[in-house]
Amino acid sequence: MAAVTTWFQIANIVGMVAILIVAAYLWRRWPRERGLVLPPALWALYGVVFYAFLLDGRLSGNAVLLWGAIHRAYAIYMVLAGLVALAAAAVLESMENDDAA
């Protein structure tokens, strides 16, 4: 089980590095939208640091629980913010369609 967990953690680091690369491109390409790029980029950066420390054995059991909980909480609030933004866009579109009728 530990080997599978380690491979998932390595895959997580690779995915988060990919997010950072895409975020860096978007940051340069669309400067006005940097506020939208920053939250996922910071989440990915935190994740890379967390997993690097974890795989290097620098975190105690309690530290792993805390760092992991912080990382998951950040993800939860990013997803929640995305859903709220989606709902707001849907409401605005619905209002525009009602005005056109």
Side-chain angles (χ1 to χ4, degrees):
M1 185 68 148
V4 173
T5 301
T6 300
W7 282 109
F8 268 107
Q9 291 166 339
I10 291 169
N12 286 343
I13 288 177
V14 170
M16 289 178 211
V17 168
I19 290 170
L20 290 172
I21 292 168
V22 172
Y25 169 76
L26 295 172
W27 184 274
R28 285 190 308 269
R29 176 65 178 90
W30 288 285
R32 287 184 44 196
E33 311 307 331
R34 287 182 176 167
L36 298 173
V37 173
L38 193 58
L42 289 175
W43 174 83
L45 180 63
Y46 181 92
V48 168
V49 171
F50 167 62
Y51 282 114
F53 283 173
L54 179 70
L55 293 171
D56 193 38
R58 293 180 181 228
L59 299 177
S60 67
N62 286 337
V64 169
L65 292 175
L66 177 60
W67 278 60
I70 292 168
H71 195 238
R72 285 187 302 277
Y74 196 108
I76 288 166
Y77 290 116
M78 278 196 314
V79 170
L80 181 59
L83 291 173
V84 168
L86 178 62
V91 166
L92 288 174
E93 181 182 2
S94 176
M95 290 171 60
E96 287 175 0
N97 289 340
D98 289 344
D99 290 342

